[in-house]
Amino acid sequence: EMLSQGLRPAATINRLANGTRTRFAGLVICRQQPGTSTGVTFYTLEDETGFVNVVVWKPVFEKFSVIARTSTLLGVTGKMQVESGVTHLIADQLWDPQLGLRAETRPRSFH
């Protein structure tokens, strides 16, 4: 379960204050690169509690291009932007939540 990775649900993400750093993972419902967007890609991600709007600027998209283009389940680390009641998660990292889940199950040695 995603919460075991310390991830907040969509319902909580959308109530965070402007500038809050957070992580979220959800299903990619929509991926848009408007022609007028000057290098930004908009994502709508969904979990069982709702939707999160994600903004990925071109440098981040290029750095994580394979995940950015192909993932159906996407992990995002970034900062909340709240303006005039509109909430976005501005991505600075994209990651594969499935890999994260597997990595979390490895036994840890403290020696």
Side-chain angles (χ1 to χ4, degrees):
E1 161 140 332
M2 295 297 174
L3 293 175
S4 66
Q5 289 190 67
L7 299 175
R8 295 174 163 122
T12 303
I13 295 271
N14 287 315
R15 291 194 305 263
L16 293 174
N18 187 52
T20 305
R21 287 197 56 77
T22 193
R23 299 168 75 230
F24 178 75
L27 287 172
V28 177
I29 302 303
C30 180
R31 182 187 282 118
Q32 293 179 293
Q33 281 181 309
T36 58
S37 69
T38 64
V40 67
T41 305
F42 297 99
Y43 291 80
T44 302
L45 303 184
E46 181 185 32
D47 71 7
E48 60 277 3
T49 69
F51 300 95
V52 173
N53 295 314
V54 177
V55 174
V56 181
W57 289 102
K58 191 174 187 176
V60 176
F61 187 91
E62 288 173 351
K63 183 175 180 181
F64 302 98
S65 64
V66 173
I67 291 172
R69 285 195 315 269
T70 63
S71 281
T72 54
L73 184 62
L74 184 64
V76 180
T77 302
K79 205 179 262 190
M80 297 308 296
Q81 182 183 70
V82 183
E83 286 177 3
S84 310
V86 179
T87 302
H88 289 95
L89 175 54
I90 310 298
D92 50 48
Q93 285 184 306
L94 303 177
W95 41 274
D96 182 340
Q98 292 152 318
L99 293 177
L101 284 170
R102 281 200 289 280
E104 294 291 337
T105 59
R106 268 190 244 130
R108 291 188 177 91
S109 171
F110 297 102
H111 300 289

